[in-house]
Amino acid sequence: QAVALQQGGAGSQYSQVQGVRGFPNLGWGFNSPSQELQASFEPGDPRLQATILFAWEELPYGPAEVVYLNTTTPTNQYNQKSILPLENPGGADQGGVNIRRIRYADVLLMAAEAAYRTDRLDEARMYLNQVRARARQGSAATLGFSPEQMFEPMAQGVLGLEAGDSRVFVRYVNPESPAFAAGLRDFDGVCGGPDDSCPGAQAVPPVRIVNADLIQSVNGSPITDLASFEAAVRGLTPGSQATVEVVRATQPQSGMVETEALTITLPVQQLLPDVTAGGPDLLEAIWHERRVELAMEQHRWFDLLRQDREQPGRAAAMMALHGKTF
């Protein structure tokens, strides 16, 4: 077991290498998630937020700190699965986070692929859908975007929100999602200096809100925090329509925050529906599930090499998406 000790020597650099580069200074910012990985998650898949740590996002556990923008990193996104608590007795280079070599979901997906290759398609779908059912966390519905609870100093200090105002904003909406077509947009913020520049990787710049879509209500149910949003969505029926009240906050350069009230009708989608496909589509579904379920766990490259033996050129095509053509 990796363990963080004051004198060191028992932890690992696993979290440091992939940690936030800049402020709070947890690491080097290596192994950053790609935009293509972000887009590969199905609309509303909660694993997106559990996998990728975004700029201006509150760290998953205390103390309450937010990831500040760092213009020296390629995407300002990090591997959330490796994040180390700030209060770590061994320091960033002596982390207590274990490297998980294998998980039950990995075993299920190996079993699904093995069953597929031996023409036991019902069994393959059963194992695959067990992984998807766990990811749903008991919810059957989604509005097609990734919600997030806003960092409180940003909510109060930047947007001036009062107690009881909604803190739930749209972090990411896939351009292929009906929510995007209906008008919802990703959260976007930049460094808030006079010229929108960051004063330095170690500095704590203010934030200027370029776009923040704050969810006020869903079918009349008031939304104040992530728990109330999740409760409202759980009560929706896939295939129906939901009326969503939104306040869009924007902030012109060196200007005051401006708000616009929007009423948007969204189709209620089934969250991570069971896979019913057969043939090559089933194999692709299993491979896709490995991509999102095991994302940032150091399986992807080896999966691509293995898949390339069956579909020559697959690995090269995937790497070319990131400018790697050698």
Side-chain angles (χ1 to χ4, degrees), residues 145 166 168 170 213-218 223 229 244-246:
F145 62 86
S166 176
V168 178
V170 178
D213 282 0
L214 295 152
I215 308 301
Q216 306 298 301
S217 69
V218 175
I223 305 301
F229 175 81
V244 181
E245 300 289 341
V246 178

Side-chain angles (χ1 to χ4, degrees), residues 78-141:
Y78 304 92
N79 180 5
Q80 184 159 316
K81 294 179 179 180
S82 75
I83 289 301
L84 186 73
L86 288 176
E87 296 178 351
N88 178 56
D93 61 343
Q94 288 288 333
V97 176
N98 288 327
I99 300 173
R100 286 156 176 80
R101 296 295 186 188
I102 193 167
R103 293 201 287 114
Y104 182 52
D106 189 6
V107 176
L108 287 173
L109 292 173
M110 284 190 282
E113 190 166 342
Y116 169 83
R117 295 184 184 284
T118 51
D119 293 323
R120 293 174 289 136
L121 302 190
D122 288 341
E123 187 176 342
R125 284 186 286 263
M126 177 189 69
Y127 290 133
L128 170 60
N129 288 327
Q130 283 183 30
V131 177
R132 293 172 67 81
R134 182 209 60 84
R136 288 196 292 268
Q137 301 176 319
S139 180

Side-chain angles (χ1 to χ4, degrees), residues 21-268:
R21 186 179 185 93
F23 187 90
N25 188 14
L26 300 180
W28 303 350
F30 291 2
N31 193 33
S32 58
S34 68
Q35 298 299 110
E36 202 259 334
L37 171 63
Q38 177 177 283
S40 69
F41 286 89
E42 294 166 62
D45 189 340
R47 290 174 293 188
L48 171 62
Q49 275 287 2
T51 300
I52 299 178
L53 186 65
F54 295 89
W56 310 119
E57 180 177 352
E58 195 169 21
L59 292 172
Y61 34 72
E65 293 283 355
V66 70
V67 177
Y68 286 87
L69 190 71
N70 182 350
T71 56
T72 68
T73 62
T75 65
N76 271 281
Q77 297 177 3
Y78 304 92
N79 180 5
Q80 184 159 316
K81 294 179 179 180
S82 75
I83 289 301
L84 186 73
L86 288 176
E87 296 178 351
N88 178 56
D93 61 343
Q94 288 288 333
V97 176
N98 288 327
I99 300 173
R100 286 156 176 80
R101 296 295 186 188
I102 193 167
R103 293 201 287 114
Y104 182 52
D106 189 6
V107 176
L108 287 173
L109 292 173
M110 284 190 282
E113 190 166 342
Y116 169 83
R117 295 184 184 284
T118 51
D119 293 323
R120 293 174 289 136
L121 302 190
D122 288 341
E123 187 176 342
R125 284 186 286 263
M126 177 189 69
Y127 290 133
L128 170 60
N129 288 327
Q130 283 183 30
V131 177
R132 293 172 67 81
R134 182 209 60 84
R136 288 196 292 268
Q137 301 176 319
S139 180
T142 178
L143 293 177
F145 62 86
S146 297
E148 187 178 308
Q149 180 99 359
M150 183 168 285
F151 184 55
E152 193 58 32
M154 186 186 296
Q156 291 188 10
V158 179
L159 293 181
L161 300 181
E162 303 288 343
D165 289 342
S166 176
R167 264 62 172 165
V168 178
F169 67 95
V170 178
R171 164 58 76 177
Y172 174 71
V173 52
N174 193 307
E176 296 179 359
S177 169
F180 185 89
L184 286 181
R185 293 297 179 264
D186 298 356
F187 172 82
D188 189 13
V190 298
C191 293
D195 58 354
D196 284 347
S197 64
C198 291
Q202 301 300 322
V204 184
V207 57
R208 180 172 70 84
I209 303 296
V210 176
N211 188 87
D213 282 0
L214 295 152
I215 308 301
Q216 306 298 301
S217 69
V218 175
N219 277 357
S221 297
I223 305 301
T224 57
D225 55 19
L226 204 53
S228 60
F229 175 81
E230 290 171 350
V233 172
R234 285 178 188 272
L236 300 176
T237 302
S240 64
Q241 300 284 317
T243 301
V244 181
E245 300 289 341
V246 178
V247 167
R248 175 165 293 168
T250 58
Q251 189 177 9
Q253 192 169 20
S254 302
M256 299 295 291
V257 175
E258 300 175 356
T259 60
E260 176 188 9
L262 305 170
T263 300
I264 297 178
T265 301
L266 296 178
V268 181

